[in-house]
Structure formats: structure tokens, C-alpha cells
Amino acid sequence: TLALMLALGKQLGEADRRLKAGDWRAPASTDLCGKTVGLVGFGRIAQGVARRLAGFEARVLATAPRPPAEAVPGVAFVPLDTLLGDCDVVSLHAPLTPDTHHLMDADRLARMKPGSLLINTARGGLVDEAALLAALERGHLAGAGLDVFEGEADPARRAATAALIAHPKVLATPHMAGSSREALARGNAIAARCVLAALSGTAFPDGCLVADGRTEAAAALRPGL
């Protein structure tokens, strides 16, 4: 998420294309430092993003169905429409449900601050891709950093996805946010610890997300398995 924010602001994709073509002119860029960043959703990933944004002296706004009961240092919770209108960067961190499908439709994209950036590393279906393409074409948004797309799972939507990927104001990545060597190693280790915990009947490690379908009866039978 931070990589997309930084790369979009600094126009790294455009700078790379220009220089490889022999053009040494630097594209106009924008700092992340001191900007207002909005987080739509405030689960574990958004909370991690908020902590990292502190290093950029960013003002962080967030919106969530159930904001934390206690204040979060450095984060102000506001309604979604307030967040959209105030933020230089809007980053999506919501699950995809019937209620959040096309959360960022034409109306909400139009409410975003002119010249702002949209980041989506959550789920492609949160964004109406045709509406986003239109917002970029008319210059309302300065750019979008997208790691997820509706066309990944829905062939009927691949034309809009392809148009977004090809757009010069879009920095597109192939659903790779969690695909670093380090992240995969952590995920494998967590899975192994959870398997061991399930087989031994002990508590799962802190911080693990596990759908535990065991019953007391199944747990009682485990020693004989």
C-alpha cells in the first residue's frame, strides 16, 4: 500500500518509461509527506498502514462500521463522505460484501478531492472500474494504484480491467501485495504453528486467523486418531 502511494506520487512508472526512451526530463511529482491520507476500513492491515504513515508526518483519517472504542493515536475517525472530500490519498481496506460491492461508484469517486489518488489493495469489487476509468479520463483523479481487479475473477469485466491496466494514470500490480518472500515465509510458519496447535489440542498462536470447526467431541477423540 505504501509502495503504491509513493510510486504514484513520485511518478516512478512515468519516470522509468521516459528514461528508457532517452528522455531525461523529470515528471512533476508529489510528496507523501504532510498529506492527508484516508483509510476506508480499519482492520489489521489498515492499522499497519496507519502506523507506517506516521513516518511521513501524514494526517490520517479513517472510516469504519465500528470504530475502536478507544482513541487511536494519530488517527481521526470521520464519515466516509468527509474522508473522500478531505484526503489527498484514499486507500481501501474493506472486505468485499454485498454492502461494499462498488463502494467506490461514480458518485463516491466524484466526491473525492480533485487531483487525489485512489489505492486499492483489498478487493477488486470495491471499485466500479468503469466509473474509475471515467474519473481518470476527465482528470478528476490524478491517478490510481491498483493491486486487485474485478476482471481477475469475472471474465465479463476484463475489458474494463484491461483498460485500467493500460491507462497512463494507473499503476497496476498483479495482486502481489502479500507475495514477498518474507510474507510467504511468515504465512507458511503461521500455518504450520496452527496445524500443530490443532493436532495437539492447544491454543492457537496469538494473531492467527483460524476458522476453528472443532467440537468438544472431536477434541476428545483426537488422541486415538
Side-chain angles (χ1 to χ4, degrees):
T1 299
L2 268 292
L4 288 174
M5 291 181 188
L6 291 165
L8 270 178
K10 293 298 292 182
Q11 294 289 304
L12 295 187
E14 176 63 18
D16 178 71
R17 287 190 292 270
R18 286 189 185 186
L19 197 55
K20 286 177 177 175
D23 183 351
W24 283 75
R25 292 176 302 157
S29 63
T30 303
D31 289 337
L32 179 59
C33 184
K35 294 297 189 295
T36 300
V37 179
L39 305 176
V40 180
F42 203 67
R44 293 193 306 162
I45 294 174
Q47 291 169 31
V49 172
R51 289 193 300 271
R52 288 157 177 80
L53 284 168
F56 293 90
E57 301 173 5
R59 174 184 175 229
V60 180
L61 304 182
T63 187
R66 293 177 296 278
E70 297 182 0
V72 179
V75 180
F77 286 85
V78 297
L80 178 57
D81 285 348
T82 300
L83 181 149
L84 296 177
D86 286 356
C87 289
D88 303 292
V89 182
V90 173
S91 186
L92 306 182
H93 300 282
L96 181 59
T97 68
D99 290 336
T100 62
H101 180 256
H102 284 186
L103 176 71
M104 298 304 295
D105 56 13
D107 178 60
R108 288 204 172 101
L109 289 167
R111 296 184 191 191
M112 288 179 64
K113 184 177 179 180
S116 59
L117 305 174
L118 178 68
I119 308 292
N120 188 11
T121 57
R123 292 291 181 266
L126 297 175
V127 179
D128 182 335
E129 293 185 340
L132 175 57
L133 189 61
L136 293 167
E137 287 286 350
R138 68 175 182 270
H140 179 65
L141 299 183
L146 307 174
D147 187 50
V148 288
F149 302 88
E150 284 197 290
E152 287 183 75
D154 187 351
R157 298 185 180 275
R158 285 184 185 160
T161 293
L164 273 178
I165 292 171
H167 198 281
K169 292 182 179 179
V170 172
L171 183 59
T173 54
H175 207 151
M176 60 180 281
S179 296
S180 68
R181 294 181 181 90
E182 295 83 357
L184 292 172
R186 287 194 301 270
N188 290 338
I190 290 169
R193 288 197 296 270
C194 288
V195 170
L196 289 173
L199 291 175
S200 64
T202 57
F204 288 114
D206 290 339
C208 294
L209 297 179
V210 178
D212 186 359
R214 295 176 294 174
T215 63
E216 291 184 7
L221 290 172
R222 185 170 296 104
L225 294 179

